[in-house]
Amino acid sequence: MKLSSSKLIKCSAMALLVSTSSVYADDFPTHPITVVVPYGAGGTTDISARKLSSLAEGELGQPIVVENRPGASGTNAMRAVANAKADGYTLIATTSSPLFVTPAVRPVGYDSVQDFTPILNYSGPYHGVLVQADSPYQSFDELMKAAKSDKSISYGTAGAMGGPHLSFELIARETGAKLKHVPFNGAGAATAALLGNHVDVALVPAYRDLVLDSKLRLLGVLDDSRDPDFASVPTLKEAGYNVEFPSVVGIMAPAGTAPEIIKKLETAFTKVATSDEFQTFMNKLNQPVRVMSGDKLGEIIQSNLETYRNVAKELSQK
């Protein structure tokens, strides 16, 4: 079969493109990489991203510059990286909120699924359902029984329309439980409100030391898996409630980045994320190491984006 001259030209162009892309990926990286953090300097996402990047420099053979771009709950940085050149030199270390919570409740100017290629997940703080240590509630079931009776249970979160808030709103709608949301300016303020007896419950991360010091009691975990530090405490799904808030901290690249480059980045970052040095560092930071592939992270983003869009839609119709 003979090919027309136009088809021959197209086939030759495609072959050249593939060949050029492969050679480019083999040489990658040839100059410094930028990892954007969508929050200010000094927070756990910033600190962990800096350590991970520092370790990955040795694997990739080039400096990795961490750049803070805070604002709009992380969406400004996400939008900037979505529009960056898809060459592997601009990445983002991002979290659940700008990936699938905020985009579920308002327009953000990017699509978390279509505009990014996940590289890997390396952390994600567990969010717990916490009460004071002397609370009468010994389990999540006891708490819910009270909320389904004549008693209204107040719960604090880091802010309105975040993942923990949407999760508890879903439980309230499905069970008829009387759960009163009290939003605070950050998880620290919500935790302080619980310690000060201003709310009955707090849905917050970074609770390990307060529980171990017997100041708070952990009734359940909002995540899709148990907190290894408190392995006897069930997730809410295990307790019989069809809700979860998987917390992720992952590295993403703009969509269209060559698969060979994505693979090279995933291999390098995964190696250092699973190292003893990074594990020790994260333990001191009181943050878990939770490594999963880029493909798995992509599945979590897509699934939860759909879930939270449905919850937000229901809430808007109340």
Side-chain angles (χ1 to χ4, degrees):
M1 182 180 70
K2 292 185 177 181
L3 294 176
S4 67
S5 59
S6 61
K7 287 184 177 180
L8 282 171
I9 293 172
K10 287 182 180 178
C11 289
S12 299
M14 290 179 64
L16 179 61
L17 180 62
V18 171
S19 176
T20 302
S21 175
S22 178
V23 171
Y24 177 74
D26 287 342
D27 292 339
F28 176 88
T30 59
H31 58 268
I33 296 169
T34 297
V35 172
V36 176
V37 173
Y39 308 109
T44 54
T45 303
D46 173 64
I47 295 171
S48 64
R50 289 179 184 278
K51 181 63 175 180
L52 188 74
S53 298
S54 174
L55 293 174
E57 288 179 341
E59 298 298 318
L60 293 168
Q62 288 289 338
I64 301 179
V65 179
V66 176
E67 178 181 314
N68 299 95
R69 292 193 188 183
S73 300
T75 60
N76 286 349
M78 290 286 288
R79 192 163 50 249
V81 174
N83 292 317
K85 189 175 181 180
D87 56 6
Y89 289 99
T90 302
L91 312 174
I92 187 165
T94 189
T95 65
S96 305
S97 179
L99 280 173
F100 54 77
V101 179
T102 306
V105 299
R106 64 177 175 83
V108 291
Y110 60 84
D111 186 309
S112 300
V113 176
Q114 299 296 326
D115 294 340
F116 296 91
T117 299
I119 296 173
L120 89 161
N121 189 81
Y122 67 88
S123 187
Y126 293 91
H127 283 69
V129 180
L130 295 130
V131 295
Q132 287 197 347
D134 60 356
S135 167
Y137 310 118
Q138 300 293 322
S139 68
F140 189 73
D141 281 339
E142 289 184 10
L143 177 71
M144 292 306 297
K145 285 179 182 178
K148 291 176 186 177
S149 65
D150 293 334
K151 182 173 178 60
S152 176
I153 301 293
S154 61
Y155 68 97
T157 72
M161 302 305 284
H165 173 211
L166 294 177
S167 297
F168 250 45
E169 283 291 339
L170 186 58
I171 289 177
R173 291 178 70 85
E174 290 183 348
T175 65
K178 300 180 181 65
L179 300 172
K180 180 183 178 183
H181 182 229
V182 183
F184 290 91
N185 186 22
T191 303
L194 176 60
L195 291 168
N197 204 30
H198 301 298
V199 291
D200 300 310
V201 180
L203 311 180
V204 292
Y207 50 74
R208 183 179 66 184
D209 292 345
L210 290 170
V211 175
L212 293 177
D213 290 343
S214 298
K215 294 180 180 179
L216 296 179
R217 179 184 300 143
L218 180 65
L219 301 184
V221 177
L222 284 167
D223 218 290
D224 55 355
S225 62
R226 296 191 182 197
D227 183 341
D229 288 331
F230 304 95
S232 64
V233 180
T235 66
L236 297 195
K237 182 163 283 190
E238 290 174 329
Y241 300 88
N242 189 28
V243 64
E244 62 185 23
F245 173 58
S247 181
V248 300
V249 181
I251 305 291
M252 313 275 284
T257 303
E260 298 89 349
I261 291 177
I262 294 295
K263 182 61 178 178
K264 185 173 286 190
L265 289 168
E266 182 173 11
T267 299
F269 279 114
T270 299
K271 183 176 180 179
V272 298
T274 54
S275 67
D276 291 340
E277 182 175 352
F278 189 66
Q279 179 71 65
T280 299
F281 178 85
M282 293 294 276
N283 284 340
K284 292 179 180 179
L285 193 60
N286 196 15
Q287 295 293 307
V289 174
R290 306 174 70 182
V291 177
M292 69 178 77
S293 68
D295 288 343
K296 180 61 177 177
L297 175 57
E299 292 173 6
I300 288 176
I301 294 169
Q302 186 164 10
S303 172
N304 284 275
L305 186 58
E306 181 178 348
T307 296
Y308 284 107
R309 276 175 176 161
N310 291 336
V311 175
K313 184 177 180 180
E314 289 181 11
L315 291 177
S316 68
Q317 296 172 350
K318 289 180 66 174

